[in-house]
Amino acid sequence: MGILNVTPDSFSDGGQHLERQAAIAAGLRMVGEGAAIIDVGGESTRPGATAVGTQQEIDRVVPVIEALASRADVVLSVDSSKADVIAAALRAGAHLVNDVRALRMPGALAAAAAQDAAVCVMHMQGEPATMQAEPRYVDVVAEVREFLRQRANACVAAGIARDSICIDPGIGFGKTYQHNIDLLRNQRSFTDLGYPLLIGVSRKGVVGIMTGRPASERMVGSAVAAAFAVQAGAAIIRAHDVAATVDAVKVAVALRDGMAG
Ligand code: 7PM
């Protein structure tokens, strides 16, 4: 899953049209590099980021989803929590809803179910602006597992097909370094729930702590973490550096499953 942020800070500021063209080009490039899914997001979840209005988020993601749907044979994901954005993105050609709030905002679950979308439910403790202030768990693996189990059940109850649901422990979302390590080292607890597991570690702080590198220099560390996650059973890797990550995933899959060349 390639990350495509359509936010003003993601592409050099040349006005909305150029921004949109740059996003579409970046999406097509990721498809060429081997991404199976493109995750299109119009709201930054960065701690302290300014909130984005519904219409603004729709104006950012819908044209990019429409363009990619018509030009590329790839699964399109919308990274949003808002019911109206989800509905508009699915109408525009998205197939999957990736929500860091696990479809808990009003109408979000119904909007996904109404258009037979696939969904990814992610665990987050708190809200992006404050989540890293003081993450606390008694047993992080058990608590995240139980949350994901309940949200997947809520999706099924809302009419989403069981085989259209994936789960994600939300690396870096209201977690300390040690919490992230515990989650990555205990992926079996999540794959045991019976849903495909999505892992997003790309350029995250946990990789920065492990390598001592800034975000711009975390590609290798992120690719190694992706390979580890695949070895431990992850089905989908969310990543910025698609070409490097695809190579890492190919090697991990071949070694895990013993496939011939
Ligand atoms: C600041 C904080 C900037 C966090 C960017 C981020 C995930 C996600 C994100 C993830 C799923 C990033 C994150 N991370 N969706 N959206 N899983 N499902 O590093 O791990 O891209 S945003």
Side-chain angles (χ1 to χ4, degrees):
M1 172 187 274
I3 301 168
L4 187 58
N5 289 319
V6 193
T7 49
D9 43 72
S10 350
F11 296 99
S12 63
D13 125 77
Q16 203 180 36
H17 179 72
L18 284 178
E19 215 168 86
R20 190 173 287 164
Q21 293 312 309
I24 293 163
L28 293 173
R29 180 174 148 213
M30 290 193 286
V31 174
E33 291 176 344
I37 307 170
I38 304 294
D39 189 32
V40 184
E43 183 206 22
S44 177
T45 37
R46 200 173 299 279
T50 47
V52 175
T54 301
Q55 192 56 47
Q56 191 179 8
E57 205 179 325
I58 290 173
D59 291 344
R60 286 179 184 174
V61 300
V62 161
V64 173
I65 289 168
E66 280 174 347
L68 292 177
S70 70
R71 288 190 225 173
D73 184 20
V74 67
V75 172
L76 294 168
S77 163
V78 60
D79 184 346
S80 183
S81 300
K82 298 186 184 86
D84 291 344
V85 179
I86 290 168
L90 293 172
R91 275 196 304 274
H95 314 86
L96 167 67
V97 180
N98 171 37
D99 183 11
V100 300
R101 295 181 182 82
L103 302 167
R104 286 177 295 167
M105 298 245 299
L109 189 49
Q115 295 191 64
D116 287 323
V119 298
C120 174
V121 291
M122 195 197 82
H123 176 272
M124 168 166 63
Q125 185 178 82
E127 272 291 309
T130 53
M131 65 191 179
Q132 289 306 106
E134 219 176 323
R136 269 179 205 286
Y137 302 86
V138 174
D139 180 338
V140 66
V141 174
E143 289 169 43
V144 171
R145 181 186 201 276
E146 179 56 18
F147 174 85
L148 294 175
R149 194 184 66 77
Q150 287 183 16
R151 291 314 298 160
N153 284 345
C155 290
V156 172
I160 294 169
R162 232 170 240 286
D163 63 0
S164 295
I165 298 168
C166 73
I167 57 174
D168 180 347
I171 299 302
F173 284 85
K175 281 110 187 170
T176 64
Y177 176 72
Q178 190 58 50
H179 294 143
N180 291 319
I181 299 291
D182 290 346
L183 293 169
L184 290 167
R185 287 174 51 82
N186 290 280
Q187 278 183 203
R188 178 59 82 76
S189 298
F190 309 118
T191 54
D192 274 356
L193 290 170
Y195 299 99
L197 183 68
L198 188 156
I199 294 288
V201 281
S202 185
R203 301 183 188 171
K204 282 187 180 172
V206 61
V207 175
I209 290 172
M210 290 171 179
T211 58
R213 293 186 183 278
S216 60
E217 297 173 8
R218 294 177 189 162
M219 183 176 80
V220 174
S222 298
V224 173
F228 178 92
V230 168
Q231 155 67 26
I236 303 170
I237 300 295
R238 186 175 179 278
H240 299 87
D241 302 291
V242 170
T245 307
V246 166
D247 274 5
V249 168
K250 282 180 177 169
V251 171
V253 167
L255 292 171
R256 182 190 67 187
D257 300 344
M259 292 189 309

